[in-house]
Amino acid sequence: MPSEGRGALVKALMFRVALAFAALFLANSHGFAQAPPLRNDQIDIAYVPPTGPDYQTIYQGLQARKVLEELRAFLAPLKLPRKIMVEVKQCGGLEELYQPGQPVVICYEYVAELQKLAAGIPADGSGAMGVTREDAVVGAFIQAVLQQTASAVFDVLDTPIWGREEDAADKLAAFLMLQFGPDAARKLMLGASYFFAASNRTWTGVDFSDEQGTEAQRYYNYLCIAYGFDPKLFGDFYDGQGNATSNGQTVVLPPSREFWCPKEYTDEKWAFDTQILPHVDLNLLQQVLSQDWLKPYTGP
């Protein structure tokens, strides 16, 4: 299959991933049907019960909507040489970064923080850049799932990485989020960048020795990759002068960074095409695309 055809299939697959995760937060009466027969047997999943009552609602909601089962089905085309465990659990903090050979973890605390921060957005989406509450939750949630899973994929595929692995996984997640189609890409990137900007560590410069970039750095990385992907779609990420500020901080790309953004996006595309796409089973990918993933949710 020509590279253009493979790219189109991958884009379509990732758009369906976005829709599936969006349903978790956007629909009160809709969610996932029973898990489809497709599954990646190299991915094990677990919903770990929280130790107290604070996260019971989140635990029950994720489990009832079969979020991890859907993720395992969507990843069926990815050929992995060994197993990856993906679990949601109470962590005692917002996140647990992936460690080689250990599970991919999404924390109940992180989901709760998304909901808390999103509650501060005006209901009509009249805040900065028109970010809605739904954009903030869905964009940040998908970003976290893709970023953590990307780290595990790098590990099991022995993907060569220059620089910090967490940064590479972060940028791969951003790249994938841009392949969902213009409308979804716009919402997802706005949501993810809003969470970086609104989180407690934003702009503080805390712990520059950490293996992961600060929220401020991640914020500008996402703006840059998005702008490099489509300067028209994300034109408001750069005002030509870099003068837009909030609390004394520049909130759009300055000219010194904007110049490099097209190359940053091109570098990410080259890395994906050469390192990840060869491990995708294109026949299984077509089966995944034939599935009707979203149906009314009839569970509790």
PDB file of all heavy atoms in Angstrom, residues 192-229:
ATOM      1  N   ALA A 192      -5.705  20.252  25.342  1.00  0.00           N
ATOM      2  CA  ALA A 192      -4.450  19.827  25.965  1.00  0.00           C
ATOM      3  C   ALA A 192      -3.620  21.022  26.405  1.00  0.00           C
ATOM      4  O   ALA A 192      -3.079  21.052  27.521  1.00  0.00           O
ATOM      5  CB  ALA A 192      -3.659  18.955  24.990  1.00  0.00           C
ATOM      6  N   SER A 193      -3.507  22.036  25.538  1.00  0.00           N
ATOM      7  CA  SER A 193      -2.694  23.199  25.891  1.00  0.00           C
ATOM      8  C   SER A 193      -3.332  23.976  27.035  1.00  0.00           C
ATOM      9  O   SER A 193      -2.620  24.534  27.891  1.00  0.00           O
ATOM     10  CB  SER A 193      -2.488  24.103  24.667  1.00  0.00           C
ATOM     11  OG  SER A 193      -3.719  24.561  24.146  1.00  0.00           O
ATOM     12  N   TYR A 194      -4.675  24.008  27.096  1.00  0.00           N
ATOM     13  CA  TYR A 194      -5.333  24.679  28.218  1.00  0.00           C
ATOM     14  C   TYR A 194      -4.953  24.016  29.531  1.00  0.00           C
ATOM     15  O   TYR A 194      -4.657  24.698  30.526  1.00  0.00           O
ATOM     16  CB  TYR A 194      -6.853  24.652  28.060  1.00  0.00           C
ATOM     17  CG  TYR A 194      -7.567  25.167  29.294  1.00  0.00           C
ATOM     18  CD1 TYR A 194      -7.783  26.521  29.479  1.00  0.00           C
ATOM     19  CD2 TYR A 194      -7.993  24.286  30.293  1.00  0.00           C
ATOM     20  CE1 TYR A 194      -8.403  27.001  30.625  1.00  0.00           C
ATOM     21  CE2 TYR A 194      -8.606  24.758  31.438  1.00  0.00           C
ATOM     22  CZ  TYR A 194      -8.819  26.109  31.604  1.00  0.00           C
ATOM     23  OH  TYR A 194      -9.423  26.578  32.740  1.00  0.00           O
ATOM     24  N   PHE A 195      -4.934  22.685  29.553  1.00  0.00           N
ATOM     25  CA  PHE A 195      -4.603  22.004  30.792  1.00  0.00           C
ATOM     26  C   PHE A 195      -3.165  22.299  31.214  1.00  0.00           C
ATOM     27  O   PHE A 195      -2.889  22.512  32.393  1.00  0.00           O
ATOM     28  CB  PHE A 195      -4.805  20.501  30.658  1.00  0.00           C
ATOM     29  CG  PHE A 195      -4.477  19.757  31.918  1.00  0.00           C
ATOM     30  CD1 PHE A 195      -5.329  19.810  33.006  1.00  0.00           C
ATOM     31  CD2 PHE A 195      -3.313  19.027  32.034  1.00  0.00           C
ATOM     32  CE1 PHE A 195      -5.034  19.148  34.189  1.00  0.00           C
ATOM     33  CE2 PHE A 195      -3.001  18.355  33.208  1.00  0.00           C
ATOM     34  CZ  PHE A 195      -3.871  18.410  34.280  1.00  0.00           C
ATOM     35  N   PHE A 196      -2.238  22.318  30.257  1.00  0.00           N
ATOM     36  CA  PHE A 196      -0.862  22.662  30.596  1.00  0.00           C
ATOM     37  C   PHE A 196      -0.805  24.068  31.219  1.00  0.00           C
ATOM     38  O   PHE A 196      -0.097  24.303  32.193  1.00  0.00           O
ATOM     39  CB  PHE A 196       0.038  22.616  29.353  1.00  0.00           C
ATOM     40  CG  PHE A 196       0.254  21.235  28.800  1.00  0.00           C
ATOM     41  CD1 PHE A 196       0.354  21.032  27.435  1.00  0.00           C
ATOM     42  CD2 PHE A 196       0.354  20.137  29.633  1.00  0.00           C
ATOM     43  CE1 PHE A 196       0.556  19.768  26.912  1.00  0.00           C
ATOM     44  CE2 PHE A 196       0.559  18.862  29.133  1.00  0.00           C
ATOM     45  CZ  PHE A 196       0.665  18.676  27.767  1.00  0.00           C
ATOM     46  N   ALA A 197      -1.545  24.997  30.609  1.00  0.00           N
ATOM     47  CA  ALA A 197      -1.513  26.379  31.082  1.00  0.00           C
ATOM     48  C   ALA A 197      -2.199  26.548  32.434  1.00  0.00           C
ATOM     49  O   ALA A 197      -1.811  27.399  33.232  1.00  0.00           O
ATOM     50  CB  ALA A 197      -2.165  27.300  30.048  1.00  0.00           C
ATOM     51  N   ALA A 198      -3.216  25.728  32.692  1.00  0.00           N
ATOM     52  CA  ALA A 198      -4.018  25.912  33.900  1.00  0.00           C
ATOM     53  C   ALA A 198      -3.536  25.075  35.077  1.00  0.00           C
ATOM     54  O   ALA A 198      -3.942  25.330  36.207  1.00  0.00           O
ATOM     55  CB  ALA A 198      -5.483  25.566  33.610  1.00  0.00           C
ATOM     56  N   SER A 199      -2.693  24.102  34.835  1.00  0.00           N
ATOM     57  CA  SER A 199      -2.268  23.224  35.918  1.00  0.00           C
ATOM     58  C   SER A 199      -1.414  23.974  36.928  1.00  0.00           C
ATOM     59  O   SER A 199      -0.834  25.025  36.645  1.00  0.00           O
ATOM     60  CB  SER A 199      -1.505  22.015  35.365  1.00  0.00           C
ATOM     61  OG  SER A 199      -0.328  22.428  34.703  1.00  0.00           O
ATOM     62  N   ASN A 200      -1.311  23.420  38.103  1.00  0.00           N
ATOM     63  CA  ASN A 200      -0.681  24.130  39.210  1.00  0.00           C
ATOM     64  C   ASN A 200       0.790  24.434  38.987  1.00  0.00           C
ATOM     65  O   ASN A 200       1.321  25.404  39.539  1.00  0.00           O
ATOM     66  CB  ASN A 200      -0.832  23.315  40.505  1.00  0.00           C
ATOM     67  CG  ASN A 200      -2.260  23.256  40.986  1.00  0.00           C
ATOM     68  OD1 ASN A 200      -3.048  24.147  40.721  1.00  0.00           O
ATOM     69  ND2 ASN A 200      -2.607  22.188  41.685  1.00  0.00           N
ATOM     70  N   ARG A 201       1.468  23.633  38.182  1.00  0.00           N
ATOM     71  CA  ARG A 201       2.910  23.835  38.002  1.00  0.00           C
ATOM     72  C   ARG A 201       3.236  24.791  36.862  1.00  0.00           C
ATOM     73  O   ARG A 201       4.396  25.086  36.608  1.00  0.00           O
ATOM     74  CB  ARG A 201       3.595  22.489  37.747  1.00  0.00           C
ATOM     75  CG  ARG A 201       3.632  21.590  38.976  1.00  0.00           C
ATOM     76  CD  ARG A 201       4.351  20.292  38.644  1.00  0.00           C
ATOM     77  NE  ARG A 201       3.567  19.478  37.730  1.00  0.00           N
ATOM     78  CZ  ARG A 201       4.050  18.445  37.051  1.00  0.00           C
ATOM     79  NH1 ARG A 201       5.323  18.153  37.128  1.00  0.00           N
ATOM     80  NH2 ARG A 201       3.263  17.729  36.271  1.00  0.00           N
ATOM     81  N   THR A 202       2.231  25.260  36.141  1.00  0.00           N
ATOM     82  CA  THR A 202       2.476  26.128  35.001  1.00  0.00           C
ATOM     83  C   THR A 202       3.188  27.403  35.429  1.00  0.00           C
ATOM     84  O   THR A 202       2.826  28.043  36.407  1.00  0.00           O
ATOM     85  CB  THR A 202       1.139  26.489  34.330  1.00  0.00           C
ATOM     86  OG1 THR A 202       0.521  25.287  33.893  1.00  0.00           O
ATOM     87  CG2 THR A 202       1.361  27.388  33.125  1.00  0.00           C
ATOM     88  N   TRP A 203       4.201  27.767  34.633  1.00  0.00           N
ATOM     89  CA  TRP A 203       4.975  28.997  34.788  1.00  0.00           C
ATOM     90  C   TRP A 203       5.837  29.042  36.047  1.00  0.00           C
ATOM     91  O   TRP A 203       6.503  30.032  36.304  1.00  0.00           O
ATOM     92  CB  TRP A 203       4.076  30.246  34.792  1.00  0.00           C
ATOM     93  CG  TRP A 203       2.983  30.250  33.793  1.00  0.00           C
ATOM     94  CD1 TRP A 203       1.653  30.407  34.034  1.00  0.00           C
ATOM     95  CD2 TRP A 203       3.094  30.099  32.377  1.00  0.00           C
ATOM     96  NE1 TRP A 203       0.935  30.352  32.872  1.00  0.00           N
ATOM     97  CE2 TRP A 203       1.798  30.158  31.837  1.00  0.00           C
ATOM     98  CE3 TRP A 203       4.174  29.903  31.512  1.00  0.00           C
ATOM     99  CZ2 TRP A 203       1.544  30.052  30.481  1.00  0.00           C
ATOM    100  CZ3 TRP A 203       3.916  29.770  30.154  1.00  0.00           C
ATOM    101  CH2 TRP A 203       2.613  29.857  29.652  1.00  0.00           C
ATOM    102  N   THR A 204       5.847  28.016  36.854  1.00  0.00           N
ATOM    103  CA  THR A 204       6.590  28.109  38.107  1.00  0.00           C
ATOM    104  C   THR A 204       8.060  27.778  37.935  1.00  0.00           C
ATOM    105  O   THR A 204       8.886  28.179  38.752  1.00  0.00           O
ATOM    106  CB  THR A 204       6.001  27.156  39.158  1.00  0.00           C
ATOM    107  OG1 THR A 204       6.130  25.805  38.682  1.00  0.00           O
ATOM    108  CG2 THR A 204       4.536  27.469  39.398  1.00  0.00           C
ATOM    109  N   GLY A 205       8.403  26.970  36.899  1.00  0.00           N
ATOM    110  CA  GLY A 205       9.788  26.575  36.717  1.00  0.00           C
ATOM    111  C   GLY A 205      10.276  25.603  37.768  1.00  0.00           C
ATOM    112  O   GLY A 205      11.470  25.487  38.028  1.00  0.00           O
ATOM    113  N   VAL A 206       9.371  24.872  38.395  1.00  0.00           N
ATOM    114  CA  VAL A 206       9.741  23.934  39.445  1.00  0.00           C
ATOM    115  C   VAL A 206      10.442  22.712  38.856  1.00  0.00           C
ATOM    116  O   VAL A 206      10.006  22.152  37.857  1.00  0.00           O
ATOM    117  CB  VAL A 206       8.489  23.506  40.240  1.00  0.00           C
ATOM    118  CG1 VAL A 206       8.821  22.371  41.200  1.00  0.00           C
ATOM    119  CG2 VAL A 206       7.913  24.690  40.982  1.00  0.00           C
ATOM    120  N   ASP A 207      11.522  22.298  39.477  1.00  0.00           N
ATOM    121  CA  ASP A 207      12.229  21.056  39.184  1.00  0.00           C
ATOM    122  C   ASP A 207      12.641  20.939  37.722  1.00  0.00           C
ATOM    123  O   ASP A 207      12.140  20.112  36.976  1.00  0.00           O
ATOM    124  CB  ASP A 207      11.379  19.846  39.586  1.00  0.00           C
ATOM    125  CG  ASP A 207      12.225  18.581  39.663  1.00  0.00           C
ATOM    126  OD1 ASP A 207      13.455  18.679  39.472  1.00  0.00           O
ATOM    127  OD2 ASP A 207      11.662  17.507  39.906  1.00  0.00           O
ATOM    128  N   PHE A 208      13.602  21.753  37.343  1.00  0.00           N
ATOM    129  CA  PHE A 208      14.132  21.678  35.987  1.00  0.00           C
ATOM    130  C   PHE A 208      14.952  20.410  35.769  1.00  0.00           C
ATOM    131  O   PHE A 208      15.306  20.086  34.637  1.00  0.00           O
ATOM    132  CB  PHE A 208      14.993  22.908  35.687  1.00  0.00           C
ATOM    133  CG  PHE A 208      14.181  24.149  35.443  1.00  0.00           C
ATOM    134  CD1 PHE A 208      14.196  25.191  36.360  1.00  0.00           C
ATOM    135  CD2 PHE A 208      13.397  24.269  34.306  1.00  0.00           C
ATOM    136  CE1 PHE A 208      13.436  26.330  36.141  1.00  0.00           C
ATOM    137  CE2 PHE A 208      12.649  25.412  34.082  1.00  0.00           C
ATOM    138  CZ  PHE A 208      12.667  26.450  34.999  1.00  0.00           C
ATOM    139  N   SER A 209      15.271  19.665  36.834  1.00  0.00           N
ATOM    140  CA  SER A 209      16.015  18.419  36.694  1.00  0.00           C
ATOM    141  C   SER A 209      15.112  17.248  36.344  1.00  0.00           C
ATOM    142  O   SER A 209      15.609  16.149  36.069  1.00  0.00           O
ATOM    143  CB  SER A 209      16.761  18.104  37.999  1.00  0.00           C
ATOM    144  OG  SER A 209      15.840  17.796  39.045  1.00  0.00           O
ATOM    145  N   ASP A 210      13.805  17.453  36.341  1.00  0.00           N
ATOM    146  CA  ASP A 210      12.870  16.355  36.102  1.00  0.00           C
ATOM    147  C   ASP A 210      13.023  15.805  34.695  1.00  0.00           C
ATOM    148  O   ASP A 210      13.426  16.512  33.768  1.00  0.00           O
ATOM    149  CB  ASP A 210      11.430  16.854  36.305  1.00  0.00           C
ATOM    150  CG  ASP A 210      10.441  15.712  36.379  1.00  0.00           C
ATOM    151  OD1 ASP A 210      10.452  14.996  37.398  1.00  0.00           O
ATOM    152  OD2 ASP A 210       9.684  15.533  35.417  1.00  0.00           O
ATOM    153  N   GLU A 211      12.688  14.495  34.524  1.00  0.00           N
ATOM    154  CA  GLU A 211      12.800  13.868  33.208  1.00  0.00           C
ATOM    155  C   GLU A 211      11.731  14.343  32.235  1.00  0.00           C
ATOM    156  O   GLU A 211      11.815  14.094  31.032  1.00  0.00           O
ATOM    157  CB  GLU A 211      12.722  12.340  33.333  1.00  0.00           C
ATOM    158  CG  GLU A 211      11.397  11.790  33.815  1.00  0.00           C
ATOM    159  CD  GLU A 211      11.336  11.624  35.328  1.00  0.00           C
ATOM    160  OE1 GLU A 211      12.007  12.386  36.053  1.00  0.00           O
ATOM    161  OE2 GLU A 211      10.596  10.734  35.786  1.00  0.00           O
ATOM    162  N   GLN A 212      10.740  15.035  32.745  1.00  0.00           N
ATOM    163  CA  GLN A 212       9.686  15.588  31.901  1.00  0.00           C
ATOM    164  C   GLN A 212       9.771  17.102  31.907  1.00  0.00           C
ATOM    165  O   GLN A 212      10.106  17.709  32.926  1.00  0.00           O
ATOM    166  CB  GLN A 212       8.312  15.144  32.413  1.00  0.00           C
ATOM    167  CG  GLN A 212       7.157  15.485  31.478  1.00  0.00           C
ATOM    168  CD  GLN A 212       5.855  14.878  31.981  1.00  0.00           C
ATOM    169  OE1 GLN A 212       5.465  15.096  33.122  1.00  0.00           O
ATOM    170  NE2 GLN A 212       5.194  14.115  31.140  1.00  0.00           N
ATOM    171  N   GLY A 213       9.473  17.721  30.761  1.00  0.00           N
ATOM    172  CA  GLY A 213       9.494  19.166  30.686  1.00  0.00           C
ATOM    173  C   GLY A 213       8.463  19.804  31.593  1.00  0.00           C
ATOM    174  O   GLY A 213       7.470  19.176  31.978  1.00  0.00           O
ATOM    175  N   THR A 214       8.670  21.065  31.946  1.00  0.00           N
ATOM    176  CA  THR A 214       7.673  21.775  32.738  1.00  0.00           C
ATOM    177  C   THR A 214       6.415  21.994  31.901  1.00  0.00           C
ATOM    178  O   THR A 214       6.433  21.907  30.670  1.00  0.00           O
ATOM    179  CB  THR A 214       8.221  23.136  33.190  1.00  0.00           C
ATOM    180  OG1 THR A 214       8.407  23.972  32.033  1.00  0.00           O
ATOM    181  CG2 THR A 214       9.545  22.990  33.919  1.00  0.00           C
ATOM    182  N   GLU A 215       5.313  22.297  32.590  1.00  0.00           N
ATOM    183  CA  GLU A 215       4.080  22.543  31.863  1.00  0.00           C
ATOM    184  C   GLU A 215       4.220  23.694  30.876  1.00  0.00           C
ATOM    185  O   GLU A 215       3.647  23.669  29.796  1.00  0.00           O
ATOM    186  CB  GLU A 215       2.946  22.815  32.849  1.00  0.00           C
ATOM    187  CG  GLU A 215       2.032  21.640  33.132  1.00  0.00           C
ATOM    188  CD  GLU A 215       2.743  20.516  33.871  1.00  0.00           C
ATOM    189  OE1 GLU A 215       3.844  20.745  34.396  1.00  0.00           O
ATOM    190  OE2 GLU A 215       2.201  19.406  33.925  1.00  0.00           O
ATOM    191  N   ALA A 216       4.997  24.710  31.237  1.00  0.00           N
ATOM    192  CA  ALA A 216       5.199  25.834  30.327  1.00  0.00           C
ATOM    193  C   ALA A 216       5.894  25.380  29.048  1.00  0.00           C
ATOM    194  O   ALA A 216       5.505  25.769  27.938  1.00  0.00           O
ATOM    195  CB  ALA A 216       6.020  26.931  31.010  1.00  0.00           C
ATOM    196  N   GLN A 217       6.924  24.545  29.177  1.00  0.00           N
ATOM    197  CA  GLN A 217       7.608  24.032  27.996  1.00  0.00           C
ATOM    198  C   GLN A 217       6.692  23.164  27.149  1.00  0.00           C
ATOM    199  O   GLN A 217       6.680  23.269  25.917  1.00  0.00           O
ATOM    200  CB  GLN A 217       8.846  23.233  28.428  1.00  0.00           C
ATOM    201  CG  GLN A 217       9.943  24.077  29.036  1.00  0.00           C
ATOM    202  CD  GLN A 217      11.047  23.218  29.627  1.00  0.00           C
ATOM    203  OE1 GLN A 217      10.792  22.225  30.304  1.00  0.00           O
ATOM    204  NE2 GLN A 217      12.282  23.593  29.361  1.00  0.00           N
ATOM    205  N   ARG A 218       5.930  22.308  27.801  1.00  0.00           N
ATOM    206  CA  ARG A 218       5.009  21.429  27.065  1.00  0.00           C
ATOM    207  C   ARG A 218       3.947  22.261  26.350  1.00  0.00           C
ATOM    208  O   ARG A 218       3.543  21.943  25.233  1.00  0.00           O
ATOM    209  CB  ARG A 218       4.372  20.431  28.033  1.00  0.00           C
ATOM    210  CG  ARG A 218       5.391  19.543  28.721  1.00  0.00           C
ATOM    211  CD  ARG A 218       4.771  18.713  29.815  1.00  0.00           C
ATOM    212  NE  ARG A 218       4.026  17.577  29.259  1.00  0.00           N
ATOM    213  CZ  ARG A 218       3.251  16.774  30.003  1.00  0.00           C
ATOM    214  NH1 ARG A 218       3.068  17.028  31.287  1.00  0.00           N
ATOM    215  NH2 ARG A 218       2.628  15.770  29.436  1.00  0.00           N
ATOM    216  N   TYR A 219       3.491  23.312  27.002  1.00  0.00           N
ATOM    217  CA  TYR A 219       2.508  24.211  26.400  1.00  0.00           C
ATOM    218  C   TYR A 219       3.029  24.773  25.082  1.00  0.00           C
ATOM    219  O   TYR A 219       2.363  24.681  24.043  1.00  0.00           O
ATOM    220  CB  TYR A 219       2.199  25.338  27.391  1.00  0.00           C
ATOM    221  CG  TYR A 219       1.317  26.439  26.859  1.00  0.00           C
ATOM    222  CD1 TYR A 219      -0.068  26.292  26.843  1.00  0.00           C
ATOM    223  CD2 TYR A 219       1.864  27.634  26.389  1.00  0.00           C
ATOM    224  CE1 TYR A 219      -0.884  27.307  26.364  1.00  0.00           C
ATOM    225  CE2 TYR A 219       1.052  28.649  25.917  1.00  0.00           C
ATOM    226  CZ  TYR A 219      -0.318  28.480  25.904  1.00  0.00           C
ATOM    227  OH  TYR A 219      -1.120  29.483  25.423  1.00  0.00           O
ATOM    228  N   TYR A 220       4.241  25.335  25.097  1.00  0.00           N
ATOM    229  CA  TYR A 220       4.784  25.926  23.877  1.00  0.00           C
ATOM    230  C   TYR A 220       5.128  24.859  22.839  1.00  0.00           C
ATOM    231  O   TYR A 220       5.016  25.109  21.633  1.00  0.00           O
ATOM    232  CB  TYR A 220       6.009  26.785  24.201  1.00  0.00           C
ATOM    233  CG  TYR A 220       5.642  28.077  24.875  1.00  0.00           C
ATOM    234  CD1 TYR A 220       6.030  28.343  26.185  1.00  0.00           C
ATOM    235  CD2 TYR A 220       4.882  29.036  24.213  1.00  0.00           C
ATOM    236  CE1 TYR A 220       5.684  29.525  26.816  1.00  0.00           C
ATOM    237  CE2 TYR A 220       4.523  30.223  24.835  1.00  0.00           C
ATOM    238  CZ  TYR A 220       4.926  30.466  26.126  1.00  0.00           C
ATOM    239  OH  TYR A 220       4.574  31.638  26.746  1.00  0.00           O
ATOM    240  N   ASN A 221       5.543  23.671  23.265  1.00  0.00           N
ATOM    241  CA  ASN A 221       5.795  22.593  22.307  1.00  0.00           C
ATOM    242  C   ASN A 221       4.522  22.245  21.542  1.00  0.00           C
ATOM    243  O   ASN A 221       4.551  22.032  20.322  1.00  0.00           O
ATOM    244  CB  ASN A 221       6.321  21.353  23.023  1.00  0.00           C
ATOM    245  CG  ASN A 221       7.760  21.500  23.466  1.00  0.00           C
ATOM    246  OD1 ASN A 221       8.493  22.369  22.979  1.00  0.00           O
ATOM    247  ND2 ASN A 221       8.179  20.657  24.394  1.00  0.00           N
ATOM    248  N   TYR A 222       3.410  22.176  22.241  1.00  0.00           N
ATOM    249  CA  TYR A 222       2.147  21.832  21.587  1.00  0.00           C
ATOM    250  C   TYR A 222       1.695  22.953  20.647  1.00  0.00           C
ATOM    251  O   TYR A 222       1.218  22.697  19.538  1.00  0.00           O
ATOM    252  CB  TYR A 222       1.077  21.514  22.635  1.00  0.00           C
ATOM    253  CG  TYR A 222       1.049  20.040  22.978  1.00  0.00           C
ATOM    254  CD1 TYR A 222       2.168  19.408  23.513  1.00  0.00           C
ATOM    255  CD2 TYR A 222      -0.074  19.264  22.748  1.00  0.00           C
ATOM    256  CE1 TYR A 222       2.171  18.065  23.805  1.00  0.00           C
ATOM    257  CE2 TYR A 222      -0.094  17.910  23.041  1.00  0.00           C
ATOM    258  CZ  TYR A 222       1.033  17.318  23.570  1.00  0.00           C
ATOM    259  OH  TYR A 222       1.044  15.973  23.843  1.00  0.00           O
ATOM    260  N   LEU A 223       1.836  24.196  21.089  1.00  0.00           N
ATOM    261  CA  LEU A 223       1.502  25.301  20.199  1.00  0.00           C
ATOM    262  C   LEU A 223       2.340  25.248  18.939  1.00  0.00           C
ATOM    263  O   LEU A 223       1.840  25.462  17.822  1.00  0.00           O
ATOM    264  CB  LEU A 223       1.731  26.645  20.902  1.00  0.00           C
ATOM    265  CG  LEU A 223       0.863  27.031  22.100  1.00  0.00           C
ATOM    266  CD1 LEU A 223       1.111  28.493  22.467  1.00  0.00           C
ATOM    267  CD2 LEU A 223      -0.604  26.780  21.860  1.00  0.00           C
ATOM    268  N   CYS A 224       3.631  24.955  19.081  1.00  0.00           N
ATOM    269  CA  CYS A 224       4.549  24.985  17.948  1.00  0.00           C
ATOM    270  C   CYS A 224       4.261  23.863  16.967  1.00  0.00           C
ATOM    271  O   CYS A 224       4.221  24.082  15.749  1.00  0.00           O
ATOM    272  CB  CYS A 224       5.985  24.907  18.453  1.00  0.00           C
ATOM    273  SG  CYS A 224       7.227  25.171  17.168  1.00  0.00           S
ATOM    274  N   ILE A 225       4.075  22.641  17.462  1.00  0.00           N
ATOM    275  CA  ILE A 225       3.792  21.519  16.566  1.00  0.00           C
ATOM    276  C   ILE A 225       2.481  21.750  15.827  1.00  0.00           C
ATOM    277  O   ILE A 225       2.364  21.478  14.626  1.00  0.00           O
ATOM    278  CB  ILE A 225       3.770  20.206  17.350  1.00  0.00           C
ATOM    279  CG1 ILE A 225       5.180  19.856  17.831  1.00  0.00           C
ATOM    280  CG2 ILE A 225       3.214  19.066  16.496  1.00  0.00           C
ATOM    281  CD1 ILE A 225       5.245  18.651  18.717  1.00  0.00           C
ATOM    282  N   ALA A 226       1.483  22.273  16.529  1.00  0.00           N
ATOM    283  CA  ALA A 226       0.196  22.548  15.896  1.00  0.00           C
ATOM    284  C   ALA A 226       0.343  23.624  14.829  1.00  0.00           C
ATOM    285  O   ALA A 226      -0.175  23.487  13.710  1.00  0.00           O
ATOM    286  CB  ALA A 226      -0.826  22.970  16.943  1.00  0.00           C
ATOM    287  N   TYR A 227       1.051  24.697  15.149  1.00  0.00           N
ATOM    288  CA  TYR A 227       1.230  25.782  14.182  1.00  0.00           C
ATOM    289  C   TYR A 227       2.043  25.302  12.984  1.00  0.00           C
ATOM    290  O   TYR A 227       1.752  25.661  11.836  1.00  0.00           O
ATOM    291  CB  TYR A 227       1.917  26.963  14.854  1.00  0.00           C
ATOM    292  CG  TYR A 227       2.044  28.178  13.957  1.00  0.00           C
ATOM    293  CD1 TYR A 227       0.969  29.048  13.793  1.00  0.00           C
ATOM    294  CD2 TYR A 227       3.230  28.443  13.281  1.00  0.00           C
ATOM    295  CE1 TYR A 227       1.077  30.161  12.977  1.00  0.00           C
ATOM    296  CE2 TYR A 227       3.351  29.551  12.459  1.00  0.00           C
ATOM    297  CZ  TYR A 227       2.271  30.406  12.304  1.00  0.00           C
ATOM    298  OH  TYR A 227       2.381  31.508  11.477  1.00  0.00           O
ATOM    299  N   GLY A 228       3.051  24.481  13.221  1.00  0.00           N
ATOM    300  CA  GLY A 228       3.840  23.941  12.124  1.00  0.00           C
ATOM    301  C   GLY A 228       3.036  23.025  11.226  1.00  0.00           C
ATOM    302  O   GLY A 228       3.282  22.946  10.020  1.00  0.00           O
ATOM    303  N   PHE A 229       2.066  22.338  11.800  1.00  0.00           N
ATOM    304  CA  PHE A 229       1.191  21.455  11.042  1.00  0.00           C
ATOM    305  C   PHE A 229       0.273  22.243  10.107  1.00  0.00           C
ATOM    306  O   PHE A 229       0.109  21.893   8.939  1.00  0.00           O
ATOM    307  CB  PHE A 229       0.360  20.618  12.020  1.00  0.00           C
ATOM    308  CG  PHE A 229      -0.795  19.883  11.404  1.00  0.00           C
ATOM    309  CD1 PHE A 229      -0.590  18.802  10.568  1.00  0.00           C
ATOM    310  CD2 PHE A 229      -2.106  20.278  11.674  1.00  0.00           C
ATOM    311  CE1 PHE A 229      -1.662  18.121  10.004  1.00  0.00           C
ATOM    312  CE2 PHE A 229      -3.177  19.607  11.115  1.00  0.00           C
ATOM    313  CZ  PHE A 229      -2.954  18.527  10.275  1.00  0.00           C
TER     314      PHE A 229
END
